[in-house]
Amino acid sequence: GLYAAGHYNDALSVQEANLSMMRRLHVPEGVLLDVQSNLATTYASLGRHERALQIKRDVYSGRLKLLGEEHESTLRAANNYASSLYDLKRYGEAKTLLRKTISVARRVRGDSRELTLKMRWLYAVALHHDPDATLDDVREAVETLESVTPSWKRIFGPAHPETGKVQHALKEARKKLAARAA
């Protein structure tokens, strides 16, 4: 309730105390990872992105050990971790993680699942936002977004809150490709 009301500092105190108590009570690892994930979101909302990144990395690692690379929760944790890397402009690390996990998501979940599409979208924007991106990287970003965008629109519809963001990412990547190719 505190988080939903925008009282992030208060929510952080409660979440940290809750996590500490759960650890003392030897709550199952999966539950601890859920609590840590919420804690990371609160840190990010407070602008403490490095701390949020550390926790998201730990959550991904924990999910990987507990559930394996093919589990939906592990793939979500990987996407959350990659998203934090992207937000901190650590594009190389985000791309490396996403290359690995996208192939797993596509194999296990298929190309038309929301999580797979989100991972591919994030990978494409990390590709073309990277200041070290090559022309081939930007081309790959455009190709990826040209595949993701119609699938996203077909599956989720034009009214979905993120459809416009996916379309904007494609437009932005095409613009960057045209400028780079010229």
Side-chain angles (χ1 to χ4, degrees):
L2 290 168
Y3 181 88
H7 300 286
Y8 304 127
N9 281 314
D10 294 332
L12 181 65
S13 296
V14 171
Q15 290 171 334
E16 287 176 333
N18 189 36
L19 180 61
S20 178
M21 178 190 64
M22 289 181 159
R23 283 183 172 142
R24 285 192 311 274
L25 295 173
H26 304 290
V27 170
E29 185 67 19
V31 175
L32 290 175
L33 292 170
D34 289 339
V35 173
Q36 286 177 289
S37 185
N38 292 336
L39 187 61
T41 300
T42 304
Y43 273 117
S45 295
L46 288 166
R48 295 174 63 184
H49 299 288
E50 284 293 339
R51 182 66 182 127
L53 175 69
Q54 293 168 354
I55 295 171
K56 287 180 183 183
R57 180 187 55 233
D58 293 345
V59 169
Y60 170 59
S61 178
R63 293 271 184 224
L64 199 54
K65 289 176 190 167
L66 187 66
L67 303 169
E69 72 176 1
E70 296 182 349
H71 196 278
E72 179 87 12
S73 293
T74 304
L75 293 170
R76 285 195 185 287
N79 190 61
N80 291 340
Y81 177 33
S83 182
S84 283
L85 288 166
Y86 172 82
D87 290 342
L88 289 168
K89 298 180 180 3
R90 292 166 65 173
Y91 303 118
E93 293 172 74
K95 292 183 296 186
T96 299
L97 175 60
L98 288 165
R99 271 187 211 106
K100 176 185 170 191
T101 55
I102 287 170
S103 65
V104 174
R106 289 177 107 172
R107 184 182 75 244
V108 174
R109 302 289 175 202
D111 278 336
S112 342
R113 295 289 297 260
E114 181 177 10
L115 182 57
T116 306
L117 290 170
K118 280 185 175 186
M119 293 172 104
R120 293 179 63 217
W121 168 22
L122 180 57
Y123 174 71
V125 294
L127 268 175
H128 80 82
H129 283 165
D130 188 341
D132 297 326
T134 65
L135 182 58
D136 286 341
D137 290 337
V138 179
R139 279 191 188 113
E140 183 181 356
V142 169
E143 290 169 8
T144 300
L145 288 165
E146 284 177 342
S147 171
V148 168
T149 302
S151 296
W152 189 280
K153 192 173 179 181
R154 178 178 44 78
I155 294 165
F156 301 108
H160 189 281
E162 293 183 333
T163 298
K165 293 177 185 177
V166 175
Q167 291 171 322
H168 177 75
L170 174 58
K171 184 178 179 180
E172 185 180 58
R174 283 178 173 159
K175 185 177 175 181
K176 185 172 270 184
L177 179 61
R180 280 296 225 28

